[in-house]
Amino acid sequence: MRFLKTLMFGSLLLVANSALANECELTIDSNDNMRFDKKELSVPASCSEVTLKLTHSGKMAKNVMGHNWVLSSASDMQSVVQQGMAAGLDNNYTPDSDAVIAATDVIGGGEETSITFSTDGMDANGNYKFYCTFPGHSAIMQGVFKITN
Ligand code: ZN
């Protein structure tokens, strides 16, 4: 009986491992409390492309509590946020700027979106930040994006 339990546990572990097999795919949730559920995201340097899925587990509409996921170098964050505000919701609060490495659409409660981007030009030692550019959100909705060796 003990042997059988061990076997079952072993196969459960296998299933869990294969679910995590693609380490170049990331998921992050956002909510009506203006929060991301992660403060740090990382991918190994071996990922030439990264897919980020953003979900919104809240109920509020995107013009009220919309969220997006924007990636840039830490030093570009402030200017991207400022220019994003000027760009407006119709442009997903995202400026047309080379400083933006990746950006999803703005979504509302119950929605999800994803973006696939190349890591070309990104540096394993670089300082990157992800954040929401909906006006007023980036002070709380931000985190560190790392490329690990
Ligand atoms: Zn937001």
Side-chain angles (χ1 to χ4, degrees):
M1 207 50 199
R2 181 176 294 268
F3 175 67
L4 188 61
K5 271 191 183 160
T6 308
L7 262 184
M8 286 177 65
F9 187 58
S11 55
L12 280 178
L13 275 182
L14 273 180
V15 170
N17 277 340
S18 62
L20 291 171
N22 195 341
E23 52 197 5
C24 304
E25 291 181 5
L26 302 170
T27 301
I28 191 166
D29 184 50
S30 57
N31 61 31
D32 285 345
N33 295 323
M34 207 197 292
R35 291 278 196 288
F36 284 128
D37 69 343
K38 296 185 176 85
K39 282 285 176 196
E40 183 178 320
L41 292 169
S42 70
V43 293
S46 57
C47 294
S48 58
E49 280 192 337
V50 174
T51 297
L52 180 289
K53 183 166 106 175
L54 171 69
T55 58
H56 188 322
S57 58
K59 290 186 163 58
M60 294 167 81
K62 74 175 183 181
N63 62 323
V64 180
M65 186 51 76
H67 303 304
N68 64 358
W69 185 91
V70 177
L71 178 66
S72 75
S73 70
S75 57
D76 285 333
M77 176 179 165
Q78 215 49 51
S79 67
V80 170
V81 167
Q82 295 277 329
Q83 293 170 46
M85 208 179 304
L89 181 56
D90 287 347
N91 295 304
N92 293 297
Y93 295 115
T94 303
D96 183 12
S97 162
D98 289 342
V100 176
I101 297 169
T104 70
D105 289 348
V106 173
I107 57 170
E111 297 177 335
E112 65 176 55
T113 186
S114 70
I115 184 94
T116 298
F117 58 97
S118 167
T119 57
D120 275 2
M122 292 182 78
D123 180 355
N125 299 311
N127 285 318
Y128 299 101
K129 287 267 208 170
F130 67 84
Y131 43 90
C132 174
T133 56
F134 192 101
H137 288 198
S138 64
I140 294 168
M141 297 188 74
Q142 59 167 289
V144 175
F145 187 90
K146 285 184 176 166
I147 298 176
T148 57
N149 281 308

